[in-house]
Amino acid sequence: MSTSLTEFKDASTIAQKKPEEFWGKIAQQFQWKKPWTKVLDYDFLKPEVKWFLEGKLNITENCLDRHLSTQPDKTAILFEPNNPDEPSQHISYKELHQRVCQTANMLIANGAKKGDRICIYMPMVPELAISVLACARIGAIHSVVFAGFSVKALSARMNDASCNMLLTSDGGYRGAKTIALKEIADEALLSCPSVNCCIVFQRTNQNVAWNPIDKWWHEEIEKVGSDCPATEMDSEDPLFVLYTSGSTGKPKGLVHSCGGYMVYTAYTFKNVFQYTDNDVYWCTADIGWITGHSYIIYGPLANGATSMMFEGVPSYPDYDRFWEVCAKHKVNQFYTAPTAIRALQKHPTSLVEKHDLSSLKVLGSVGEPINDEAWHWYDKNIGKHKCPIVDTWWQTETGGILISSLAGVTPQKPTYATLPMPGIQAALLDNEGNELEGENEGILAIKQPWPSIARTIYGDHERYRQVYFSAYPGYYYPGDGALRDAEGNYRITGRIDDVVIVSGHNLGTAPIENALNEHPNVVESAVVGFPHDVKGNALQAFVIARTTADDIVILKNELRALVSKTIGPIAKPDRVQVVSGLPKTRSGKIMRRILRKLAAGEYDQLGDVSTLLNPEVVEEIKRQNN
Ligand code: PRX
């Protein structure tokens, strides 16, 4: 671990000059069933990336078995329930190992085998993390779907990966609400013929319908023992699929591999958060997102850390829940999203002050740019100016953090993710793909592979090539813009494609438009993001209605409900504006750039609209908004 600026600089130099030597040395700290023959093989043009070639391992041996002799009783997962009156659970490494093995046996007993795709649609309970690890134990590819997603989003993901099995629960708690997960899963399964077994964990004890493929978790687990050898996996075998939005309607299932993913998430966890042995680390993300995969489960457990899992929401029972939980468990590293900070910042600081936050050593931010005001509020009120803030830039595709300061080791700079991690060769490009030097602003690109880069899009390698490697051949193209200061610090300025980050959730506008277009009264629609003080961005839908005779308020409500049902409540547009036309180029392409300016009220920045096919609609939209 780099614990000083000099060590960090040395690591960066070695990683740049001799990446194979650098990563090979780090990988040696793990348990391999068979050593690799070559550290790296890659060609970004194909694209093809392979790390630790022919190395054999099982990631769960590194996350669990390895710690049994040294720290069996240390808490691996600290579970804090949604309801503060329900006791928290301290699951030791020994117990976690035993429960993962038993769950793995339950999966095997129900027909699961290496290479199968298993969908996991569960609330934030320990069994979610246990399911993930149980899949990894037997070499089944897990595909976790965020439990806030709707029927169609769930079935589309299960079908895309032809999942064989679904692990779900009767329901889930979220603040004062109970979500009927099994009901959603049942409806999704109607159109998922590949799934032939559904194991249901009992969390809320609500009534559920029962189908021939359903089995109760608590009954199945009783039938099996807890001795389960770890399946030998090739370093490049897929570990999981995780879906993210793209600029077409179809979600992209990013595939991560076993070896490289393990090495990189473990390395970045330790270095970014400067985790030391007895720390209690808390990442508030949901395991349904990459942050939860890499920095609740794999990265922390590979380091033998204590990782907290929180079932609830920041506002329940009150807006001090995060701070209450930090004080209760004496949390040392706290990692959350800017949207949560902005939401909590709106409430009186007395809600923070009533809790003892003196255990905190490091604060983290992830998922979207953190604005100056939120950064300073976090620094002052939560960190008391004593905790370094790591602003971590990365993506589902990158598997782990690529740009971030190392807490207390490298300099921080408000609103800047700062420096690339050792081994990450970031560059700024102009539109033509020329590298920009020094202090500058441009398109962010990465020049060399790192161990946890996604290897493909499930079932569609060509799309993987097109989306990430074709815009600027020879580079990985993340789709973000950035600026760089004279010291080489990066500040991420936001997406440069049709993806909008709403409350830290990555939402493609295309699937939302597809949902809107399904309404019988919608002819065409376009969705764009506009700045929002809590969510970072919110969505505005411009829709052309077939008839205008209908009550517009009813139509708007129906459209919002339709998006919520098709994708999930997170994708609901804040604003729906009915228009007679959408600004288009003469070739018929919707000018989203203009819609974005209109949605933001930046009328003076519309540019020349006279070349549009229909400049009059711009005037109409402006008039409607005045
Ligand atoms: O636009 C960037 C933004 O989130 C995108 C990735 O989203 P997702 O795959 O859902 O992963 C989120 C969690 C890693 C990026 O392309 N983003 C993520 N972190 C930051 C960020 N933007 C600015 N600063 C960050 N720290």
Side-chain angles (χ1 to χ4, degrees), residues 412-456:
Q412 64 184 23
K413 180 169 177 177
T415 77
Y416 279 70
T418 74
L419 300 175
M421 295 295 292
I424 303 304
Q425 296 193 39
L428 288 182
L429 307 178
D430 67 14
N431 286 332
E432 279 71 52
N434 303 307
E435 273 194 37
L436 302 167
E437 298 300 324
E439 205 175 339
N440 230 318
E441 178 162 6
I443 297 158
L444 185 60
I446 314 289
K447 295 204 272 195
Q448 301 260 324
W450 58 98
S452 68
I453 184 174
R455 303 299 196 257
T456 191

Side-chain angles (χ1 to χ4, degrees), residues 242-245 254 289-292 295 335 338 365-370 390-401 403-404 415-417 444 476 478-481 491-497 499-501 504-507:
L242 185 62
Y243 286 84
T244 188
S245 314
L254 275 315
W289 310 116
I290 191 68
T291 310
Y295 298 112
Y335 189 29
S365 171
V366 60
E368 56 182 315
I370 178 165
V390 290
D391 176 357
T392 63
W393 174 81
W394 58 297
Q395 309 178 293
T396 306
E397 294 84 342
T398 70
I401 296 166
I403 305 183
S404 171
T415 77
Y416 279 70
L444 185 60
Y476 168 76
D480 281 326
R491 174 185 188 163
I492 312 301
T493 48
R495 300 292 310 180
I496 46 181
D497 57 10
V499 171
V500 185
I501 314 270
H505 300 313
N506 196 334
L507 298 174

Side-chain angles (χ1 to χ4, degrees), residues 356-390:
D356 174 8
L357 298 181
S358 59
S359 59
L360 288 173
K361 297 197 287 193
V362 176
L363 302 178
S365 171
V366 60
E368 56 182 315
I370 178 165
N371 51 306
D372 206 48
E373 197 191 342
W375 196 99
H376 286 287
W377 185 88
Y378 200 27
D379 178 45
K380 176 175 176 224
N381 297 288
I382 310 304
K384 322 283 181 203
H385 300 302
K386 285 189 317 218
C387 302
I389 297 179
V390 290

Side-chain angles (χ1 to χ4, degrees), residues 306-321:
T306 296
S307 179
M308 183 146 82
M309 254 186 96
F310 176 52
E311 184 185 26
V313 293
S315 54
Y316 178 81
D318 203 348
Y319 283 91
D320 64 342
R321 189 70 203 280

Side-chain angles (χ1 to χ4, degrees), residues 269-558:
F269 170 75
K270 182 116 179 119
N271 279 278
V272 169
F273 298 101
Q274 294 288 301
Y275 184 88
T276 54
D277 268 359
N278 295 314
D279 291 343
V280 174
Y281 159 88
W282 181 18
C283 165
T284 69
D286 192 288
I287 288 173
W289 310 116
I290 191 68
T291 310
H293 282 57
S294 303
Y295 298 112
I296 293 179
I297 302 183
Y298 290 114
L301 298 182
N303 280 286
T306 296
S307 179
M308 183 146 82
M309 254 186 96
F310 176 52
E311 184 185 26
V313 293
S315 54
Y316 178 81
D318 203 348
Y319 283 91
D320 64 342
R321 189 70 203 280
F322 274 1
W323 322 129
E324 184 231 322
V325 173
C326 281
K328 177 175 174 187
H329 295 295
K330 301 197 169 40
V331 169
N332 301 111
Q333 288 90 3
F334 177 73
Y335 189 29
T336 196
T339 187
I341 301 167
R342 287 191 300 265
L344 296 172
Q345 185 190 338
K346 289 199 170 304
H347 297 273
T349 45
S350 54
L351 284 172
V352 181
E353 283 147 16
K354 69 193 241 212
H355 301 287
D356 174 8
L357 298 181
S358 59
S359 59
L360 288 173
K361 297 197 287 193
V362 176
L363 302 178
S365 171
V366 60
E368 56 182 315
I370 178 165
N371 51 306
D372 206 48
E373 197 191 342
W375 196 99
H376 286 287
W377 185 88
Y378 200 27
D379 178 45
K380 176 175 176 224
N381 297 288
I382 310 304
K384 322 283 181 203
H385 300 302
K386 285 189 317 218
C387 302
I389 297 179
V390 290
D391 176 357
T392 63
W393 174 81
W394 58 297
Q395 309 178 293
T396 306
E397 294 84 342
T398 70
I401 296 166
L402 296 198
I403 305 183
S404 171
S405 52
L406 309 192
V409 172
T410 64
Q412 64 184 23
K413 180 169 177 177
T415 77
Y416 279 70
T418 74
L419 300 175
M421 295 295 292
I424 303 304
Q425 296 193 39
L428 288 182
L429 307 178
D430 67 14
N431 286 332
E432 279 71 52
N434 303 307
E435 273 194 37
L436 302 167
E437 298 300 324
E439 205 175 339
N440 230 318
E441 178 162 6
I443 297 158
L444 185 60
I446 314 289
K447 295 204 272 195
Q448 301 260 324
W450 58 98
S452 68
I453 184 174
R455 303 299 196 257
T456 191
I457 289 177
Y458 193 90
D460 199 349
H461 196 66
E462 174 54 19
R463 185 176 181 198
Y464 173 71
R465 188 189 69 76
Q466 274 178 8
V467 176
Y468 305 109
F469 298 93
S470 71
Y472 301 99
Y475 295 89
Y476 168 76
Y477 165 72
D480 281 326
L483 57 83
R484 187 173 51 210
D485 71 6
E487 281 74 48
N489 291 305
Y490 286 85
R491 174 185 188 163
I492 312 301
T493 48
R495 300 292 310 180
I496 46 181
D497 57 10
D498 290 334
V499 171
V500 185
I501 314 270
V502 179
S503 299
H505 300 313
N506 196 334
L507 298 174
T509 52
I512 304 172
E513 290 163 6
N514 292 348
L516 293 168
N517 297 347
E518 275 182 31
H519 191 283
N521 201 4
V522 169
V523 180
E524 197 177 12
S525 64
V527 172
V528 296
F530 66 91
H532 184 281
D533 65 347
V534 173
K535 301 180 185 187
N537 296 292
L539 298 172
Q540 173 153 357
F542 294 90
V543 296
I544 306 175
R546 212 168 286 283
T547 63
T548 43
D550 289 41
D551 187 329
I552 286 201
V553 176
I554 295 179
L555 175 65
K556 288 181 177 179
N557 287 338
E558 283 176 358

